[in-house]
Amino acid sequence: MGVQTIDLLKEELPVHQESLHLTGDTKTGLVLVDVVNGFCTVGAGNLAPRQPDKQISEMVDESVRLARVFCDRKWPVYAFLDSHHPDIPEHPYPPHCIVGTEESELVPALKWLENEGNVTLRRKDCIDGFLGSVEEDGSNVFINWVQSNQIKAILVVGICTDICVLDFVCTTLSARNRRLLVPLEDVIVYSRGCATFDVPVDVAKTAKDVIAHPQELMHHIGLYIAKGRGAKAVHMLGGNKKGN
């Protein structure tokens, strides 16, 4: 898909983005969606990039930067790790992020999160992390995390903008509207901290059972739908030392 076509679609479907300053005035939690090897590390699996990818690399860098900020300030962090049982497929996707493999582990630049006391790690076996946080007894680890930390805003980053990130954001917004997540008020998606994969149209045409997935366009559409559902979209983050 040509650049001019994508630019035209962006004009027709604009995503107005704001700046966000992390000051500590509003209790904010960071949610990392599937920043694992199976989606982010070149050659790591069926759904990993085949070659270095600028958008995915920037997403990882921004996720690491934000994780450092939140952990330095002891602010709450919730990290999803896509993790599947080998005998339970997730259609329409090929096998990926199998439990016990490196695919389902955090990227090397984020492995240190496993030793941070303010971080909750959640392995999920479905696209939607909100549903993936449901325990066998019906409780929800994500809801408990929001309520126990009295979080009023969540900042969401990760992969894929139009799939796992979007599904989680939409379900979270519905749960917020149903007052299942009190005191949560705002769901904020950081565009530079999100990414998706790339299957160009010309590649899809020559492959069997492959749907075109132009990266820049689908990233934009993911943000557009999230914002339409009630999320805030931000493209720039700043902050100061206020708040611990």
Side-chain angles (χ1 to χ4, degrees), residues 84-102:
H84 296 278
H85 190 280
D87 297 329
I88 304 177
E90 185 178 51
H91 299 299
Y93 304 104
H96 62 280
C97 299
I98 303 300
V99 174
T101 69
E102 283 300 309

Side-chain angles (χ1 to χ4, degrees), residues 50-79:
R50 303 291 179 86
Q51 57 192 16
D53 185 287
K54 181 179 178 181
Q55 189 183 92
I56 294 175
S57 295
E58 182 178 35
M59 177 274 296
V60 171
D61 290 345
E62 289 299 299
S63 297
V64 173
R65 182 177 71 84
L66 283 171
R68 289 287 185 193
V69 169
F70 275 71
C71 287
D72 286 348
R73 301 177 183 185
K74 304 303 179 186
W75 292 351
V77 176
Y78 194 96

Side-chain angles (χ1 to χ4, degrees), residues 133-165:
S133 294
V134 176
E135 298 279 51
E136 290 185 3
D137 63 4
S139 63
N140 188 297
V141 179
F142 174 70
I143 292 177
N144 293 342
W145 175 77
V146 169
Q147 294 179 339
S148 64
N149 288 289
Q150 287 294 287
I151 293 170
K152 290 192 174 183
I154 59 170
L155 179 61
V156 185
V157 298
I159 191 168
C160 293
T161 320
D162 56 316
I163 305 173
C164 291
V165 171

Side-chain angles (χ1 to χ4, degrees), residues 33 39 45-46 92 101 104 141 147-148 159 164 178 201 211 241:
V33 180
F39 296 141
N46 288 326
T101 69
S104 66
V141 179
Q147 294 179 339
S148 64
I159 191 168
C164 291
R178 289 289 309 278
V201 175
I211 297 175
K241 296 297 183 181

Side-chain angles (χ1 to χ4, degrees), residues 208-227:
K208 183 180 179 181
D209 298 326
V210 174
I211 297 175
H213 191 275
Q215 184 183 53
E216 186 61 30
L217 176 61
M218 298 310 296
H219 174 70
H220 180 82
I221 287 175
L223 295 172
Y224 179 83
I225 294 175
K227 190 168 174 65

